[in-house]
Amino acid sequence: MNIYNESGSSQGRTEPKCSYCRAKGHNATNCPRVDEDYAYFTQTPPAIPMHSQTLQTNHWFGQPRYWGEWYHKCKDAREKQQIAKAKASSSPTRSARAAPKCGFCGSLEHNRRNCQAMDKYVLDAIEANRNWRRAFYQKFVTELGISEGALLNIKQRGSRYGSDSEDKEFIGVVTAVNWEELSLFCSTRDISRYCYRNSQYKQNLIITVQLGNETKQVSFGDQGFMTSELALEMKNLVKFSAQRWNSPEFVSVLSPSETPIGEEWIAEGHAKAMAFLTKKRSQAKLDDEEVTALIKHWL
């Protein structure tokens, strides 16, 4: 899911990036460029720091329409730094420890470390994701033969106007699938409706194919695939695929993969990502974001 992928947890700890100057290696509280820029803004008469190193990593501040926002962000960052310095120089005082409260379920009897409700939530999420992966594997890998090495027939929709108005079909070989990112967040509970779930809790199926000298991501449409032909048993597998609006669309499999991914991918269940869900979020938050309902949908 996007919130896990973007956190850097899937790749290890990421280097911090400053919210003011956008440079890596520090944050706004200790950004060395804030004081320099603020001195320009507050001199008499005020000036825009057009020679500031900030513009090397935050180019859009150089545009006149963003100068006002640049000043306010600089002012806010400097205030953060002043507050941080004041706290660091003040003598520490002991305060009464607050009564424990679980950040997940809200109980006053324990915290996250020994919350049984959170532990069960994570186990349910892992099991639900295994169920989704099992259904995805059955449809995409076992039935269709889609994995690295498969030959696909794909269609590029033509534009409505001009010489490229006709649809064109191509043959592409699958070179990559984002297996490690795939989860139940590729799906929705109701495929017939637009999904209003927060984009942080969505996941795109990214299947990359080689077309001559080009690589493309294949779209499976917003209807994806169903787990059953029976209306009462239907569950959609993929609502979100590719990441570009003009991606070519999947038509059929011409030749299945001879080296499909193994079924151990199912058992792994993307466990770390499922546990990440509860790391800083309460159950009430996950309920509101429709995450809980999606997990129950696949149990």
Side-chain angles (χ1 to χ4, degrees):
M1 60 188 154
N2 293 331
I3 193 172
Y4 177 71
N5 301 337
E6 294 167 3
S7 72
S9 297
S10 59
Q11 303 296 329
R13 189 172 181 86
T14 56
E15 190 175 11
K17 179 183 286 189
C18 179
S19 61
Y20 172 67
C21 72
R22 309 307 296 169
K24 292 183 178 181
H26 65 267
N27 54 37
T29 305
N30 51 24
C31 178
R33 301 174 184 177
V34 172
D35 282 340
E36 176 189 340
D37 294 352
Y38 190 75
Y40 276 96
F41 284 125
T42 56
Q43 70 181 30
T44 304
I48 304 299
M50 295 305 295
H51 299 291
S52 169
Q53 290 184 334
T54 300
L55 295 177
Q56 296 178 11
T57 50
N58 209 344
H59 310 288
W60 56 285
F61 276 163
Q63 301 181 41
R65 58 177 173 168
Y66 294 121
W67 287 350
E69 184 174 350
W70 186 4
Y71 165 70
H72 286 293
K73 284 187 176 293
C74 182
K75 181 173 176 288
D76 291 344
R78 190 171 186 275
E79 288 177 355
K80 285 183 180 179
Q81 293 187 354
Q82 295 298 315
I83 292 172
K85 289 178 182 178
K87 285 184 177 180
S89 61
S90 62
S91 58
T93 57
R94 288 183 173 271
S95 57
R97 185 174 180 177
K101 180 180 180 180
C102 180
F104 182 73
C105 71
S107 172
L108 298 177
E109 304 298 324
H110 60 261
N111 55 31
R112 285 179 183 269
R113 285 181 296 178
N114 48 16
C115 179
Q116 294 181 1
M118 189 178 79
D119 292 342
K120 183 179 184 303
Y121 193 98
V122 173
L123 291 175
D124 284 348
I126 293 172
E127 185 58 31
N129 198 52
R130 285 194 183 115
N131 292 339
W132 178 86
R133 283 192 167 189
R134 189 174 294 109
F136 180 90
Y137 190 95
Q138 176 64 29
K139 185 68 178 182
F140 274 73
V141 182
T142 303
E143 294 182 19
L144 294 176
I146 298 178
S147 193
E148 287 81 355
L151 287 180
L152 306 185
N153 183 23
I154 57 178
K155 179 191 296 184
Q156 183 69 64
R157 296 281 185 182
S159 62
R160 294 186 178 182
Y161 310 100
S163 58
D164 294 330
S165 59
E166 295 184 0
D167 296 348
K168 297 178 181 179
E169 293 194 6
F170 303 92
I171 296 175
V173 59
V174 177
T175 57
V177 181
N178 59 331
W179 297 111
E180 297 307 313
E181 296 177 345
L182 298 182
S183 69
L184 73 168
F185 293 99
C186 292
S187 70
T188 57
R189 289 189 297 139
D190 188 348
I191 199 166
S192 64
R193 299 180 181 178
Y194 179 79
C195 179
Y196 291 96
R197 193 168 71 238
N198 190 316
S199 63
Q200 291 184 320
Y201 304 102
K202 295 178 181 178
Q203 175 61 56
N204 285 51
L205 166 64
I206 307 296
I207 293 182
T208 305
V209 297
Q210 188 75 34
L211 295 175
N213 295 325
E214 293 184 285
T215 58
K216 298 281 188 179
Q217 295 178 3
V218 180
S219 170
F220 289 84
D222 62 1
Q223 294 301 302
F225 282 89
M226 301 293 186
T227 59
S228 172
E229 300 295 331
L230 302 176
L232 294 178
E233 299 177 4
M234 276 188 177
K235 285 186 178 180
N236 80 295
L237 286 170
V238 178
K239 180 75 171 179
F240 315 106
S241 58
Q243 291 178 317
R244 300 164 188 152
W245 65 271
N246 63 340
S247 294
E249 299 175 9
F250 171 79
V251 177
S252 64
V253 176
L254 298 177
S255 178
S257 171
E258 295 182 358
T259 56
I261 188 172
E263 293 190 27
E264 63 274 6
W265 173 77
I266 300 171
E268 187 274 333
H270 210 16
K272 290 183 179 179
M274 298 303 106
F276 179 82
L277 280 172
T278 62
K279 188 175 182 180
K280 294 182 179 180
R281 282 159 284 277
S282 67
Q283 182 166 356
K285 170 71 172 178
L286 295 173
D287 290 348
D288 291 342
E289 297 287 3
E290 299 185 15
V291 172
T292 305
L294 184 65
I295 290 172
K296 291 179 178 179
H297 183 66
W298 284 99
L299 282 175

